[in-house]
Amino acid sequence: MAAAPNTVERVQLLIHDALSIDVPAGDTDLVDSGLLDSLGLVTLIVEIEREFELELPLDEFELDRFRSAQNIAEFLTQAYPTAT
Amino acid sequence: MTSRPPSGDGASIWIIGDRLTRTTARRWASEQGKSRLAVRIASAAELDALTRAVADSGAWLISCNSTAILSPGLLDIFDDKAINIHPGRLPDFAGLHAVQWAIRLGEATTASTAHFMTATIDAGDVIYDVEVPLEREDTGLSAWVRCQRAQMSLLTRILADIAEGHEMPRSPQDLSRRRMFRAADALGDDFPPDLEALATERWVRAANYLPLSSPTYHPTLRLDEPGLVLAVDSVVPRSAEPGSPPPATAALMDSDQLVVGCANNTAVTVDRARLIHHDEPLSPRWSRVVERLQPNR
């Protein structure tokens, strides 16, 4: 299920506000580009939970879900359709 | 006992901590609109330099996930208005890496704890604590996130208390139960030979921060034959059986299970591990074993 454009923008804004990272595009790879480090990932997890009022599962962290704003938005859309 | 924050105009709340702490505090401040309290972000070094500036302002200091040790002079300046938000239950998990230690010691719960700061680390009166349940499958990373959630809820609660001039509760710690963990207590990547199987499983799980890297030790197996090094992410306790290897050594059993011996004739099976190094091309059997142990199999 593709994420709605406004969900991608919402995630991009969240990344900007929480991590002070300007994401040039929804598909910018945050990991390979070095924009997202380990502390940043934990910050992002807690901030996503706050913004979308949900609790992410902690039993299996898949880095690919957090690789880009697009990936995050798609994961949230699939797993939490009512939250997005 | 309670502590009443000042309610006059112009008081500041100084924040030192990690990125999540700073982000949470900034957002809280922006949501307050015309709050009379200014939230300011600083490093511990900057705060020392600003000692004189904050001395007369009745300012508060909140530290959360900062590893900086504040000078006694700085704590004197803040005069009972310095608060730390610690990712562990106090008094029994004071010091560093409290989240990992709660897993290693088999705790069913830990806590995030807000307390007044004193010259002794994590020993001041407790203001609030939030219980953090630890599940059987929790890794170092998942438990860390649970504690961070609780810490941020404490941070916003403390900020609101200060802003609204609420009295804060304070309960002295029973320091006879105090346990203090230091960086040196969490060193060493080789399997500890003195741990039994259950404790070994917890030791490995506490260092599992996948997909991130552990901030402390990294459980590692070095096998002279066939000359390979594995980073171990998960093990499972197994029944004792004849032929298990001695403590802290590994052997490939007939069933192709990689087994590590533990104390008191117990053992664990390696469930997930990543290949770090091998000297020679691996045999087909070892290649199959290493492939099967990869985390994303």
Side-chain angles (χ1 to χ4, degrees):
Chain A
M1 186 188 303
N6 64 339
T7 304
V8 179
E9 289 168 11
R10 207 169 150 194
V11 172
Q12 281 182 270
L13 186 61
L14 185 149
I15 292 170
H16 176 270
D17 290 347
L19 304 177
S20 302
I21 295 173
D22 281 320
V23 184
D27 60 355
T28 300
D29 192 315
L30 302 170
V31 178
D32 285 351
S33 61
L35 293 171
L36 187 64
D37 59 12
S38 58
L39 277 177
L41 177 59
V42 174
T43 299
L44 192 54
I45 289 168
V46 177
E47 286 292 296
I48 288 169
E49 292 181 334
R50 180 197 58 75
E51 170 70 20
F52 291 92
E53 298 181 331
L54 50 83
E55 203 164 276
L56 295 173
L58 300 178
D59 54 346
E60 193 79 27
F61 282 98
E62 291 184 22
L63 193 57
D64 280 347
R65 287 177 183 165
F66 299 94
R67 196 167 278 283
S68 68
Q70 182 78 40
N71 284 22
I72 294 168
E74 286 176 0
F75 165 63
L76 294 175
T77 302
Q78 287 175 1
Y80 305 94
T82 58
T84 55
Chain B
M1 296 171 68
T2 57
S3 181
R4 181 180 287 280
S7 55
D9 288 347
S12 298
I13 306 173
W14 291 87
I15 304 287
I16 56 172
D18 62 0
R19 187 154 49 189
L20 182 58
T21 298
R22 300 193 303 266
T23 299
T24 302
R26 276 199 196 98
R27 184 188 331 102
W28 178 88
S30 70
E31 289 171 356
Q32 301 313 301
K34 294 181 178 179
S35 170
R36 289 179 300 178
L37 295 172
V39 172
R40 302 165 192 269
I41 313 292
S43 69
E46 289 168 337
L47 208 51
D48 262 328
L50 290 167
T51 294
R52 293 293 171 201
V54 301
D56 303 321
S57 67
W60 285 76
L61 170 65
I62 301 176
S63 171
C64 183
N65 293 327
S66 167
T67 53
I69 295 179
L70 304 180
S71 69
L74 191 62
L75 292 177
D76 286 344
I77 292 289
F78 280 96
D79 187 26
D80 216 22
K81 291 193 288 292
I83 293 170
N84 181 45
I85 303 177
H86 176 69
R89 189 177 63 222
L90 295 175
D92 45 348
F93 286 97
L96 292 174
H97 313 306
V99 178
Q100 279 193 321
W101 275 107
I103 295 175
R104 289 178 67 173
L105 296 177
E107 298 285 326
T109 62
T110 182
S112 289
T113 308
H115 65 92
F116 289 101
M117 295 173 78
T118 63
T120 305
I121 293 171
D122 297 333
D125 293 351
V126 170
I127 305 166
Y128 300 121
D129 58 15
V130 174
E131 186 175 276
V132 177
L134 294 175
E135 297 177 2
R136 174 64 188 78
E137 297 78 17
D138 264 325
T139 63
L141 179 61
S142 63
W144 183 27
V145 173
R146 287 184 203 284
C147 283
Q148 292 251 295
R149 287 172 180 158
Q151 283 180 288
M152 293 310 110
S153 72
L154 284 171
L155 174 59
T156 52
R157 186 174 183 182
I158 294 279
L159 287 167
D161 276 357
I162 294 172
E164 295 163 13
H166 287 164
E167 291 187 355
M168 285 189 231
R170 53 189 308 158
S171 304
Q173 296 187 40
D174 176 3
L175 297 180
S176 68
R177 295 196 295 118
R178 174 176 164 85
R179 282 187 303 201
M180 174 73 182
F181 298 97
R182 296 174 172 80
D185 298 325
L187 296 177
D189 296 338
D190 294 331
F191 277 59
D194 58 323
L195 297 184
E196 294 187 5
L198 290 174
T200 299
E201 187 276 333
R202 296 195 300 260
W203 177 77
V204 171
R205 189 156 44 87
N208 183 344
Y209 279 66
L210 285 177
L212 314 178
S213 177
S214 166
T216 56
Y217 59 95
H218 303 82
T220 302
L221 274 181
R222 302 167 210 281
L223 292 101
D224 293 337
E225 181 61 42
L228 62 80
V229 179
L230 294 171
V232 179
D233 300 312
S234 173
V235 297
V236 180
R238 59 186 278 138
S239 308
E241 61 181 89
S244 291
T249 60
L252 195 56
M253 309 301 271
D254 290 341
S255 55
D256 277 358
Q257 299 291 306
L258 183 58
V259 173
V260 184
C262 302
N264 296 330
N265 296 315
T266 61
V268 294
T269 302
V270 177
D271 184 48
R272 289 187 178 191
R274 289 159 290 132
L275 180 62
I276 301 299
H277 170 80
H278 60 91
D279 295 333
E280 305 288 341
L282 294 175
S283 68
R285 185 187 183 201
W286 271 106
S287 294
R288 281 197 307 275
V289 170
V290 168
E291 174 66 23
R292 195 187 71 233
L293 295 176
Q294 293 297 310
N296 295 321
R297 67 180 186 269

